[in-house]
Amino acid sequence: MEPHEQFSEDDGAATQERVAAFFDVDNTLVRGASLYALAKKMHQRRFFRWREILFFALKQTMFAARGEHLGDIDKIRDRALTLVRRISVADMEAIGEEIYDEFIATKLWAGTVSIAQQHMAVGREVWLVTATPNEVASVIARRLGLTGALGTQVAQQDGQYTGALEGPILHAVQKAEAARRLARERSISLSSSWAYSDSYNDIPLLEAVGHPVAINPDGRLRGYAKRCGWQVYDFRTGQRAARVGLRIAGVLGAIWAAKRSVTRRGNHHEEL
C-alpha cells in the first residue's frame, strides 16, 4: 500500500473531532541522530572540546548501526546537559536554524515528509515528538510547515540554560505521555490519530494512537509491527541497495586490478 492511500478527510469528520499525527525524528524523519548534529555545531561554536565531538560521533555510529539504545540516550543526555550549562537560549535557537540548513535539510526522508504533508493537507495536526531539545525540534517543525514540536525541555534562567531538565527527557514512554497531555489540551482524539517511529523504544507512543505505523524500523520493532498487523514503510531499501552495489563494484574492481597486475607480471617474466 502506498502512503497516500491511507489518508482521507472523512476520519473524525462525523464528530468534528481533532485528529493528529505524531512523528519521531531520528531515523524516522531524518537519517541519523539530530543530537549528533547539535553536538557538532556546538563544537564549531567552541562551546566544548574535540573529545566531546568524538563521544557524540561514536554514539551516532552506534545509533546508525543498531538503532536507539536507552543506555546511550541517558549518557548523551547527561553529557549534553553538562555542556549546555550557561549557553544562551538565543544561541541555541540560532544553532537550530544552522543545523536545519547544514544537516537536516539534506537528510530528510522524502517519503516521511510526504506522509506528514498529506496529513496536513487533509486538515490534521502534525507534531514532532523527540528527545531533541525543544528549541531545535521547533525549528524543524516550522521549516517543514508542521503544527509544532514536542521536544525535551531544558531549564532556563535569565535567558540561559541551567544544565537541568524541565521534566524528563522525551524518550520512550515519555513520548506517549507528552502526546496524551497534548491530546487533552487540544481535544485531540488519539484513537483516530496516527504515530510514526523507527524504534522499538517508541512502542508506548505507537500504541497510544489508533493508527500506529513503523517507518524504517529496527529489527525488534519490525517483528512487533508484523505480529500486530501494523503498517510498515521502509524508505532505506534503495539506499541500501546502492551501498551494496558500490561495495560489490569496489570488490570486483579490486579483483580485476589484482588479476591485471598478476597478468602483467607474468608477461614481464616471459619477456625476460
Side-chain angles (χ1 to χ4, degrees):
M1 179 182 291
E2 294 298 321
H4 67 270
E5 292 180 331
Q6 65 175 311
F7 305 116
S8 72
E9 297 182 79
D10 296 331
D11 300 307
T15 58
Q16 295 299 308
E17 61 189 6
R18 185 171 289 174
V19 178
F22 300 93
F23 286 80
D24 170 52
V25 173
D26 294 347
N27 274 354
T28 302
L29 179 68
V30 179
R31 293 190 296 275
S34 53
L35 281 174
Y36 170 67
L38 175 59
K40 185 176 180 181
K41 178 56 63 176
M42 290 175 69
H43 170 69
Q44 291 175 0
R45 292 285 196 95
R46 301 184 183 279
F47 286 130
F48 54 81
R49 292 166 292 180
W50 180 245
R51 70 181 184 184
E52 303 297 346
I53 198 65
L54 292 178
F55 168 82
F56 288 105
L58 174 61
K59 295 305 180 184
Q60 160 82 343
T61 302
M62 296 171 66
F63 178 72
R66 70 181 186 183
E68 281 185 342
H69 188 274
L70 287 174
D72 291 336
I73 292 291
D74 291 340
K75 290 177 183 177
I76 291 173
R77 173 203 61 197
D78 295 340
R79 185 74 65 93
L81 286 174
T82 300
L83 296 173
V84 301
R85 186 181 297 122
R86 292 185 296 277
I87 292 177
S88 74
V89 177
D91 279 339
M92 185 63 73
E93 291 171 345
I95 287 173
E97 298 287 350
E98 293 176 17
I99 287 173
Y100 186 88
D101 290 329
E102 299 172 18
F103 178 82
I104 302 295
T106 60
K107 295 184 179 295
L108 291 167
W109 289 109
T112 307
V113 173
S114 177
I115 293 173
Q117 291 173 340
Q118 290 171 49
H119 278 297
M120 294 290 292
V122 297
R124 300 195 188 106
E125 296 187 2
V126 175
W127 291 84
L128 302 182
V129 190
T130 175
T132 299
N134 195 62
E135 287 75 16
V136 177
S138 294
V139 169
I140 300 172
R142 176 171 52 78
R143 297 288 285 270
L144 289 175
L146 308 180
T147 310
L150 304 173
T152 296
Q153 298 280 356
V154 183
Q156 308 170 15
Q157 185 174 3
D158 299 325
Q160 292 185 321
Y161 293 111
T162 65
L165 286 178
E166 193 77 42
I169 188 170
L170 218 60
H171 183 68
V173 69
Q174 297 300 332
K175 288 186 179 181
E177 289 300 317
R180 291 190 182 99
R181 285 195 298 272
L182 185 76
R184 289 193 295 268
E185 293 169 3
R186 301 180 65 82
S187 300
I188 293 171
S189 170
L190 289 180
S191 63
S192 299
S193 294
W194 277 256
Y196 300 83
S197 179
D198 71 294
S199 174
Y200 183 84
N201 294 321
D202 285 344
I203 283 178
L205 173 65
L206 294 169
E207 291 186 331
V209 300
H211 304 284
V213 182
I215 290 185
N216 305 328
D218 59 33
R220 290 193 298 170
L221 178 58
R222 183 180 293 277
Y224 193 90
K226 183 177 180 180
R227 291 192 296 273
C228 294
W230 295 351
Q231 286 183 308
V232 176
Y233 297 130
D234 198 327
F235 301 121
R236 299 167 298 186
T237 307
Q239 206 174 53
R240 282 179 173 173
R243 288 199 299 267
V244 171
L246 287 172
R247 291 194 189 103
I248 292 174
V251 171
L252 292 177
I255 292 172
W256 177 83
K259 182 177 180 181
R260 186 177 182 185
S261 177
V262 170
T263 301
R264 282 181 173 176
R265 286 199 298 271
N267 291 338
H268 179 67
H269 287 311
E270 289 178 2
E271 290 173 359
L272 293 177

